[in-house]
């Protein structure tokens, strides 16, 4: 058992009697974080972990690393399913296709690659960017064409055929690095976020810039559509997140309350709330109707480069330097849902390739170490 003096303590609990969170009632659900003590350190990638994701069905998870590889893992057993080797520099982004059968990665080597999950084989290399590819994502199933969108430090985003690897469009208009790009739920539009303080909405067929979202006073770190595509949310270094009308480009709400950069902002699946995560170590839930913060979860350490919410809305994964914390957002215990026998545990995923499993009670678990590295999650929620 780890001495209590070494256990960080952070607890925020909202009474269960407050009921479930919903936009209409604006009542917070119970959320809490508890102290956790280290139990097991798990070896993984050789260098910093840059990004990770769950497949939509939650069966597999994906990690990207500066060691030049991406890895697919079983969320049930923690075993590595496949390793994608082929980039000649660090991998900055990785995401699953909607059916979970393919992965797209973006790299410092100026390329994106499409891989087959079952075999680990590289199917296509997308070449055309002049600087690092910061982000890569597949179009949704609803899109008329199989596509991938990439975002780059060369100030552009590109749309590619995921069947042929041909560049279909270059979205040129930002004046600084493009940090993220995502398709609308119907696949007809693309939303980009940039260090130039703006987000832009583009026609995915013509490449025309439809509207520019202006109002942030710092670079943007993420952008996401609402489930119906009518709204967007952006997160910025300026300590704020903003809600936007995607038709007019007008700012609907400014979500203020974080004390450091907001790294991630995503809608709940029903569109009634927005989750934000910040370098100040807090995760906040906001009503999209009022813009009021209805719940806050305080993490033990600040959130650094990446954070997201699991597909079932139950967990947050956040990083700080060489550490990442997987928190429960639904119970008063920190937990990891990577194995059926984990119980009340917190997972710490280290950017240096190590992962620690933590007991909320500070007790050593008899569970064996699993051979995987860091986790992150797809920014889709189910409340």
């Amino acid at each position: 058992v780890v001495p209590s003096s070494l256990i960080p303590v952070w607890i925020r609990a909202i009474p269960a009697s407050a009921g479930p969170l919903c936009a209409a009632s604006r009542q917070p659900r119970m959320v809490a974080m508890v102290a956790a003590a280290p139990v097991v350190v798990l070896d993984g990638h050789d260098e910093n972990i840059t990004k990770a994701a769950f497949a939509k069905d939650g069966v597999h998870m994906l990690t990207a690393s500066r060691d030049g590889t991406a890895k697919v893992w079983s969320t049930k057993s923690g075993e590595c399913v496949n390793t994608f080797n082929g980039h000649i520099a660090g991998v900055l982004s990785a995401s699953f296709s909607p059916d979970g059968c393919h992965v797209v990665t973006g790299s410092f080597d100026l390329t994106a690659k499409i891989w087959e999950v079952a075999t680990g084989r590289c199917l296509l290399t997308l070449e055309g960017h002049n600087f690092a590819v910061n982000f890569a994502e597949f179009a949704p199933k609803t899109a008329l064409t199989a596509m991938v969108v990439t975002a780059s430090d060369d100030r552009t985003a590109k749309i590619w055929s995921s069947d042929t690897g041909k560049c279909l469009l270059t979205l040129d208009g930002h004046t600084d690095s493009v940090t993220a790009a995502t398709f609308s739920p119907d696949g007809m539009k693309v939303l980009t976020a940039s260090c130039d303080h703006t987000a832009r909405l583009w026609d995915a067929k013509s490449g025309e810039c439809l509207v520019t979202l202006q109002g942030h006073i710092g670079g943007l770190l993420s952008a996401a559509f609402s489930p119906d595509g009518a709204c967007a949310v952006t997160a910025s270094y300026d300590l704020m997140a903003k809600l936007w009308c995607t038709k007019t480009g007008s700012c609907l709400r400014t979500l203020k309350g974080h004390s450091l950069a907001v790294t991630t902002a995503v809608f709940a699946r029903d569109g009634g709330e927005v989750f934000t995560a910040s370098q100040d170590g807090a995760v906040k839930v906001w009503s999209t109707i009022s813009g009021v913060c209805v719940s806050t979860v305080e993490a033990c350490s600040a959130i650094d480069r990446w954070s997201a919410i699991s597909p079932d809305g139950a967990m947050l994964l956040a990083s700080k330097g060489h550490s990442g914390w997987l928190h429960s957002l639904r119970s008063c215990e920190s937990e990891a849902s990577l194995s059926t026998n984990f119980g009340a545990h917190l997972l710490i995923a280290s950017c240096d390739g190590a992962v620690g499993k933590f007991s909320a009670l500070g007790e050593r678990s008899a569970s064996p170490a699993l051979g995987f590295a860091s986790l992150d999650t797809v920014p889709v929620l189910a409340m």
Side-chain angles (χ1 to χ4, degrees):
V1 177
V2 176
S4 59
S5 61
L6 298 180
I7 302 174
V9 177
W10 69 100
I11 298 177
R12 175 182 172 83
I14 299 174
S17 59
L21 174 66
C22 66
S25 67
R26 301 176 190 172
Q27 293 295 315
R29 56 182 168 82
M30 185 179 79
V31 292
M33 289 294 115
V34 299
V39 177
V40 177
V41 174
L42 310 174
D43 292 327
H45 286 288
D46 295 330
E47 295 188 30
N48 291 4
I49 296 162
T50 56
K51 187 67 177 177
F54 279 111
K56 297 291 185 181
D57 61 7
V59 173
H60 293 110
M61 53 195 177
L62 177 65
T63 58
S65 170
R66 290 178 182 265
D67 65 11
T69 71
K71 293 177 181 287
V72 173
W73 314 86
S74 166
T75 55
K76 184 177 181 179
S77 68
E79 294 180 355
C80 182
V81 175
N82 241 319
T83 298
F84 305 128
N85 284 293
H87 284 293
I88 59 174
V91 182
L92 291 170
S93 175
S95 64
F96 283 102
S97 60
D99 62 7
C101 294
H102 298 90
V103 163
V104 61
T105 54
S107 171
F108 277 118
D109 67 10
L110 321 188
T111 73
K113 290 180 180 286
I114 296 175
W115 311 80
E116 188 175 51
V117 171
T119 65
R121 183 166 60 100
C122 179
L123 303 177
L124 292 168
T125 297
L126 312 181
E127 297 180 285
H129 282 295
N130 298 319
F131 289 96
V133 179
N134 295 316
F135 197 90
E137 182 180 279
F138 284 95
K141 287 183 179 179
T142 51
L144 299 177
T145 306
M147 297 178 290
V148 162
V149 64
T150 55
S152 172
D153 279 342
D154 65 11
R155 305 181 181 182
T156 72
K158 291 180 181 287
I159 298 175
W160 313 76
S161 167
S162 57
D163 291 330
T164 66
K166 178 182 178 182
C167 181
L168 304 176
L169 288 171
T170 297
L171 309 180
D172 191 356
H174 284 292
T175 59
D176 207 333
S177 297
V178 183
T179 55
T182 187
F183 284 97
S184 60
D186 62 6
M188 300 298 290
K189 299 178 179 66
V190 168
L191 180 65
T192 55
S194 172
C195 289
D196 67 7
H197 304 184
T198 73
R200 288 177 179 251
L201 189 68
W202 311 79
D203 186 298
K205 185 175 181 180
S206 69
E208 176 189 0
C209 182
L210 303 175
V211 66
T212 299
L213 310 181
Q214 295 178 300
H216 281 290
I217 56 175
L220 274 59
L221 291 167
S222 77
F225 282 99
S226 62
D228 62 4
C231 297
V233 62
T234 52
S236 172
Y237 281 112
D238 65 10
L239 321 188
M240 295 179 286
K242 288 179 179 286
L243 298 177
W244 310 84
C245 172
T246 55
K247 184 176 181 180
T248 65
S250 59
C251 182
L252 304 175
R253 298 280 185 273
T254 296
L255 310 180
K256 295 182 179 179
H258 288 291
S259 59
L260 291 173
V262 183
T263 58
T264 304
V266 292
F267 283 91
R269 187 167 291 167
D270 64 4
E273 298 88 38
V274 164
F275 277 60
T276 58
S278 168
Q279 289 180 342
D280 64 12
V283 178
K284 292 181 180 289
V285 186
W286 311 78
S287 165
T288 57
I289 295 175
S290 66
V292 171
C293 177
V294 295
S295 182
T296 299
V297 175
E298 299 290 347
C300 67
S301 60
I303 295 166
D304 196 6
R305 291 195 56 185
W306 45 264
S307 57
I309 309 297
S310 62
D312 62 0
M315 291 173 290
L316 164 82
L317 179 71
S319 74
K320 171 59 180 177
H322 285 187
S323 295
W325 294 79
L326 184 63
H327 298 298
S328 170
L329 295 177
R330 284 187 172 170
S331 72
C332 55
E333 293 176 333
S334 297
E335 62 184 22
S337 65
L338 306 178
S339 175
T340 56
N341 64 348
F342 269 25
H345 288 86
L346 176 75
L347 193 74
I348 290 189
S350 170
C351 287
D352 60 10
V355 177
K357 191 177 70 177
F358 289 67
S359 165
L361 301 176
E363 298 172 347
R364 179 169 295 278
S365 168
S367 301
L370 304 179
F372 62 90
S374 173
L375 307 176
D376 199 357
T377 51
V378 178
V380 177
L381 310 181
M383 301 302 294

